Amino acid sequence: MGSNMAEAHPVGFQWVMEAKSRGVEVVHIDPRFTRTSALADQHVPLRAGSDIAFLGGVINHILSNDLDFREYVTAYTNASFLVDERFQDAEDLDGLFSGYDEATASYDPSTWQYQNTDSHGGGARAKESAAPDQQGSGGAPIEGAADILTDPTLQDPHCVYQILKRHYARYTPEMVERVCGVPAEQFLDVVRKWTSASGRDKTAALVYSVGWTQHTLGAQFIRAGAIIQLLLGNIGRPGGGIFALRGHASIQGSTDVPTLFNLLPGYLAMPSAGQETLADYIDTIRNANQKGFWYNSDAYMVSLLKEYWGDAATPENDFCFDYLPRINGDHGTYRTVMDMVDGKVSGYFLLGQNPAVGSAHGKLQRLGMANLDWLVVRDLVEIESATFWRDSPEIETGEISPDTCRTEVFLFPAASHVEKAGTFTQTQRMLQWREKAVEPPGDARSELWFFYHLGRKLREKLAGSTDERDRPLLDLSWDYRVDGDEPSGEDVLRRMSGVDLATDRAVNGYTELKADGSTMSGCWIYSGVYADEVNQAARRKPHTEQGPYDNEWGWTWPLNRRVLYNRASADPQGRPWSERKKLVWWDAEKNEWTGYDTPDFEKNKPPDYRPDAQAVGVEALSGDDPFVMQADGKAWLFAPNGVLDGPLPTHYEPHESPVRNPLYLQQGNPARKVYGRQDNPSNPSWPDAHGEVFPYVFTAARLTEHHTAGGMSRQLPYLSELQPGLFVEVSAALATERGLTHMDWAHVVTSRAAVDARVFVTERMRPLRVDDHVVHQIWMPYHWGGSGLIDGDVVNDLLGVVADPNVFIQESKVATCDIRPGRRPRGPALLQYLMDYRERAGITIATGTDLDTTHRSPDHTEDTP
């Protein structure tokens, strides 16, 4: 669900097919019939953006029919925990939770807390400067974790289980049909199959990708899936889990060792303004009395600071904590692009990304890059983000002129994945070492080479500086081993893994990291990948020579665990739930946890262990607390903190939607980030009177034959021949309604852009009956741009920028649009054409949004009140 795995992740889909050959039933839930659907046992089409209504229906069915794995749920989740009596649900406030501030479009979570605990964060400042990840990789901290009131019978009206039951009561099969367009009987058939894969002897796996994440409710889509899997006992057990598919070989690695503005390596928070000292920072990301391994975040942070600044980082100077920048607002990629347009950014490094084609609102991206002093692009080929100044669509409309564009572009050739050595971290958290197969051509170099030598040259340039602001750069520990002029990736990996500074030996795992400055580690979750001074990521022991979990192939964080939270694979007494599903278990004779995987638990803590009342951190975890990173040791069905748009997933309509929300008065996510600007208009949504201007649902995705923004595939003749041109998929009914002819030209229009494409009339896109009318959806692939052997319009130009409040990801999987036969206007005529559409839709020049903001729908904007 939210994934076209066969097409976008074909190598991983091999294992789905192998499971299917052994009798596993595969269900694909997706707006479009895809190559995944063709190989599944069942395809369920639904309206794009309505996933929480579907998932909420599953939750309701489980709870209404007592289908939850009760022993697992009671012991391992927060189902029995009592919530503050002041809490008001979306059921009580018609789509809002208690604590909502309409002026700032944000929540104060104080009433969401457990009884006997207090809130920790939230509010408008959290929405602008923080995300849940900033409060720790194991979830948000809570006060008084040892003193939470519970009702093991799950009957108290204030317990999480009963709140969950009330919240999802209205998500009936009939409501799912109204919202999603999925017939009630088909929905119930899927639910019966899903819930049957539960209990001691069965599990089910849930797979998602960016079809879930790229929504204003993206984090909540995933939360809803997690709630189902927890109710069914499918987390921490073999054959269960939730798989977040990654579209590149090391996208997982790029969040572990982050390219994100608000995180440090290992999901440590980037410090925020006001955190003057390291103690201030630690007090923010953990509480003094919380449970779990996140309590040791001081050791992870100090070890990171020691890896950054080495001998310069001492207890006397707070381990150079003051050298780290502080977050004082939204510095996400889209906010940065808007700042570029507004003249607030001078220079930009662009690596492994082609935003002129691959990012939402491509026009805004190109206009931003055209307003820089300098731009550094590193890529395999000359991509559109390097040539926008001379050949972008805005040249034709007159919005960018090659003669006056001020941006100086530096294009550096980059080494490809076979031309450099190093690790990739992929979907299952596995680090795999890749050897260099061939030398890179000409001046092409690795990223490691580029940044190492950039840092070296900057430090040389600043040598002798007495300016205090240069100290963070000059004090860096920059003595990585160099082979010729190429820095050693293995040396970098060893330092990321961690080193005992007293012995200069690699540590064996994050449990050996210290907060006193005696260890260093560049990424605490990777600690142990160089255990015993061996590159564990380079191991390649064949499957035929080891056990079923292939523990000696590569290395999986943390501590080479293949299944996270696998203490939950045993019952509270430490026994496997069943022989068929055994993974780790308690060996009473040896007084240790053992099994087929590395136990995700303290090795010698027995199942009947109960902590002292004053215990904190790891010692406070009971022997049956499997979720060892959570502040209370349990999995959260209800989130008392850390999610900025509500403690329970709730169906809201996408930001642009042709229908009203049938479930609540509240139309869209009340906490979503809307960047209301003249250059970022939004199509009107219900209940505005102009919805007929953009009546259709738009969604986009990938093809196997091309790679994301096309820079790697549109240069290759054999791939270009397989998918030579941009097309738009429509149903036969929509083709008739709009006068479209198969394989003729048409253009798709939003308030941002118009895009030409060939019409492909197909049954893959089916009209859906939603509420009381038919909703048409159209689909486009987004791989085309102006460069390469084949070219085409930029599909991402159609999208605006509106974001999930938790992680600031854009809603690029659903919007509204129009489609017309024939090709779009060109040049200045295109600008007038789009202006005419905006005027008919009632979109104002002042705000880029519709004048009508009634019906509690939207609309706090960052730039325009």
Side-chain angles (χ1 to χ4, degrees), residues 483-498:
D483 301 325
D485 71 341
E486 179 73 19
S488 167
E490 285 205 273
D491 189 40
V492 175
L493 183 65
R494 179 177 180 268
R495 296 188 189 205
M496 291 170 65
S497 177

Side-chain angles (χ1 to χ4, degrees), residues 12-23:
F13 197 69
Q14 168 193 344
W15 306 108
V16 178
M17 289 293 92
E18 291 202 15
K20 186 182 177 186
S21 72
R22 296 186 176 117

Side-chain angles (χ1 to χ4, degrees), residues 196 282 491 583 591 711:
S196 70
I282 297 299
D491 189 40
L583 180 59
N591 196 43

Side-chain angles (χ1 to χ4, degrees), residues 756-819:
D756 280 342
R758 294 284 186 177
V759 176
F760 196 89
V761 181
T762 175
E763 294 182 0
R764 293 195 289 249
M765 296 301 295
R766 305 177 195 172
L768 299 175
R769 179 159 290 279
V770 175
D771 219 349
D772 59 350
H773 66 286
V774 173
V775 171
H776 291 287
Q777 303 186 103
I778 74 168
W779 178 89
M780 299 182 80
Y782 64 89
H783 308 292
W784 278 265
S787 301
L789 299 175
I790 54 174
D791 59 14
D793 282 351
V794 177
V795 169
N796 279 318
D797 287 6
L798 294 168
L799 298 165
V801 178
V802 60
D804 161 278
N806 296 290
V807 297
F808 300 168
I809 197 168
Q810 76 285 349
E811 185 160 73
S812 52
K813 288 300 177 185
V814 60
T816 57
C817 68
D818 192 14
I819 185 169

Side-chain angles (χ1 to χ4, degrees), residues 181-443:
V182 178
E185 274 308 310
Q186 186 180 32
F187 167 77
L188 286 169
D189 182 53
V190 173
V191 174
R192 283 189 285 265
K193 292 171 181 174
W194 197 346
T195 55
S196 70
S198 174
R200 286 181 170 267
D201 207 42
K202 289 187 177 182
T203 52
L206 177 58
V207 175
Y208 76 90
S209 189
V210 293
W212 263 13
T213 58
Q214 292 176 355
H215 291 268
T216 49
L217 288 164
Q220 296 285 14
F221 280 21
I222 301 161
R223 284 257 310 125
I227 289 170
I228 293 170
Q229 289 292 75
L230 286 167
L231 289 173
L232 298 178
N234 287 337
I235 300 293
R237 300 180 63 205
I242 300 176
F243 299 97
L245 296 182
R246 303 302 211 152
H248 301 256
S250 201
I251 293 295
Q252 181 67 50
S254 73
T255 50
D256 297 343
V257 187
T259 53
L260 303 173
F261 79 94
N262 59 344
L263 292 178
L264 292 167
Y267 304 93
L268 289 162
M270 182 69 77
S272 294
Q275 294 172 357
E276 297 295 332
T277 67
L278 181 59
D280 294 338
Y281 169 83
I282 297 299
D283 287 346
T284 302
I285 64 173
R286 74 168 194 196
N287 283 324
N289 59 352
Q290 78 176 61
K291 295 184 179 183
F293 280 91
W294 195 245
Y295 184 83
N296 298 336
S297 54
D298 56 347
Y300 314 148
M301 184 63 173
V302 171
S303 295
L304 175 65
L305 295 172
K306 287 295 291 184
E307 201 283 324
Y308 281 171
W309 286 292
D311 293 340
T314 66
E316 291 72 28
N317 64 11
D318 233 3
F319 298 104
C320 294
F321 176 74
D322 195 46
Y323 285 178
L324 288 172
R326 304 295 195 268
I327 292 177
N328 62 349
D330 174 5
H331 298 286
T333 179
Y334 291 103
R335 175 72 269 170
T336 300
V337 167
M338 294 172 192
D339 286 346
M340 288 156 58
V341 172
D342 296 340
K344 300 177 182 178
V345 179
S346 299
Y348 203 54
F349 284 87
L350 199 58
L351 305 100
Q353 188 172 348
N354 188 9
V357 173
S359 294
H361 205 336
K363 177 178 178 178
L364 191 70
Q365 305 286 335
R366 296 186 294 269
L367 292 176
M369 290 188 290
N371 201 35
L372 296 168
D373 292 335
W374 53 266
L375 172 68
V376 173
V377 179
R378 296 192 78 253
D379 215 295
L380 309 179
V381 296
E382 194 174 27
I383 56 175
E384 288 85 353
S385 294
T387 64
F388 67 90
W389 58 273
R390 69 168 189 254
D391 59 11
S392 70
E394 289 70 40
I395 302 296
E396 190 176 287
T397 59
E399 295 166 282
I400 295 177
S401 168
D403 297 329
T404 59
C405 180
R406 57 188 290 232
T407 308
E408 185 175 11
V409 180
F410 299 88
L411 178 61
F412 287 82
S416 77
H417 61 287
V418 298
E419 297 164 353
K420 57 193 173 190
T423 58
F424 282 168
T425 311
Q426 35 79 320
T427 291
Q428 66 202 77
R429 298 170 284 105
M430 183 185 288
L431 283 78
Q432 295 182 95
W433 184 266
R434 297 174 66 96
E435 305 293 348
K436 182 166 67 173
V438 294
E439 291 295 326
D443 288 331

Side-chain angles (χ1 to χ4, degrees), residues 559-692:
L559 291 179
N560 204 31
R561 292 184 181 116
R562 305 300 161 119
V563 178
L564 284 175
Y565 300 124
N566 58 31
R567 165 65 180 90
S569 69
D571 68 15
Q573 291 74 42
R575 304 166 302 201
W577 290 108
S578 70
E579 186 65 24
R580 181 171 179 264
K581 288 291 180 180
K582 69 189 301 186
L583 180 59
V584 302
W585 57 89
W586 176 251
D587 187 327
E589 291 185 5
K590 295 182 179 179
N591 196 43
E592 67 180 26
W593 288 92
T594 188
Y596 304 131
D597 193 10
T598 305
D600 197 357
F601 208 66
E602 285 183 280
K603 185 175 183 179
N604 302 115
K605 177 176 282 187
D608 59 358
Y609 169 83
R610 294 298 178 266
D612 294 335
Q614 304 304 313
V616 296
V618 180
E619 292 181 1
L621 290 168
S622 295
D624 58 358
D625 280 340
F627 292 88
V628 296
M629 292 302 297
Q630 295 291 97
D632 51 20
K634 307 298 184 185
W636 287 5
L637 300 169
F638 175 98
N641 204 23
V643 185
L644 299 180
D645 48 357
L648 289 171
T650 304
H651 171 73
Y652 302 113
E653 286 296 311
H655 178 65
E656 296 181 359
S657 171
V659 301
R660 76 174 184 89
N661 186 348
L663 279 151
Y664 306 101
L665 180 65
Q666 178 62 34
Q667 173 74 358
N669 183 347
R672 68 193 186 277
K673 286 180 68 67
V674 180
Y675 297 90
R677 296 165 53 100
Q678 183 179 345
D679 54 10
N680 184 42
S682 294
N683 298 348
S685 288
W686 191 93
D688 300 330
H690 312 287
E692 69 277 3

Side-chain angles (χ1 to χ4, degrees), residues 511-561:
T511 55
E512 298 180 13
L513 300 179
K514 301 291 192 296
D516 60 4
S518 62
T519 58
M520 72 172 180
S521 171
C523 183
W524 72 274
I525 58 175
Y526 285 10
S527 189
V529 70
Y530 227 89
D532 301 320
E533 296 291 349
V534 173
N535 182 350
Q536 306 289 333
R539 297 178 303 170
R540 295 188 177 90
K541 189 172 184 178
H543 173 78
T544 54
E545 298 177 15
Q546 57 175 318
Y549 280 80
D550 299 331
N551 301 70
E552 295 180 66
W553 180 281
W555 185 90
T556 302
W557 70 259
L559 291 179
N560 204 31
R561 292 184 181 116

